């Protein structure tokens, strides 16, 4: 990582501090063009917005999918204070962003949380494979 990229990552960490100061979880992210110009930035607003999906990475992925053409999106880099969660990682993949650079890994973040974070929700399946397949087959 070069000095310019470090500054962009520091800005993401500063956005996380701003989110915390506003009463939200401490997460911040920005989306940069190849030349380092900041295209958009977001803070976590899950508490103040009463929306469990209001992660900055998700908000930026949605913005990019709506506002950027695929070639431009693929040339961007998201700088984020923490490694994207599963929800955000899926949105980032679908939005076509080119790269993600994060400061804290999910394991490092979990180590900072009392009790290690959210409980794991059991999942069951697959079930009704043929019925589900019929609804999906041929779509992709």
């Amino acid at each position: 990582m070069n000095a310019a990229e470090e500054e962009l990552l520091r800005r993401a960490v500063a956005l996380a501090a701003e989110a915390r100061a506003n009463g939200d979880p401490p997460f911040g992210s920005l989306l940069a063009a190849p030349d380092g110009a900041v295209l958009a930035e977001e803070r976590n607003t899950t508490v103040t917005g009463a929306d469990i999906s209001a992660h900055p990475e998700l908000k930026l992925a949605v913005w990019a999918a709506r506002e950027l053409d695929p070639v431009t999106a693929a040339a961007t880099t998201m700088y984020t204070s923490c490694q994207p969660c599963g929800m955000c990682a899926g949105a980032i993949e679908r939005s076509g962003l080119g790269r993600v650079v994060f400061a804290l890994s999910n394991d490092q973040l979990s180590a900072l949380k009392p009790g290690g974070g959210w409980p794991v929700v059991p999942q069951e399946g697959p079930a009704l494979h043929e019925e589900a397949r019929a609804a999906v087959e041929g779509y992709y």
Side-chain angles (χ1 to χ4, degrees), residues 22-69:
N22 288 335
D24 286 296
F27 302 103
S29 306
L30 62 87
L31 195 59
D35 66 358
V38 175
L39 302 174
E41 57 183 35
E42 286 288 351
R43 294 159 203 78
N44 185 294
T45 55
T46 58
V47 173
T48 57
D51 178 354
I52 62 170
S53 70
H55 296 195
E57 303 91 341
L58 178 62
K59 293 191 281 185
L60 287 174
V62 169
W63 178 86
R66 183 182 58 238
E67 301 295 329
L68 302 177
D69 64 83

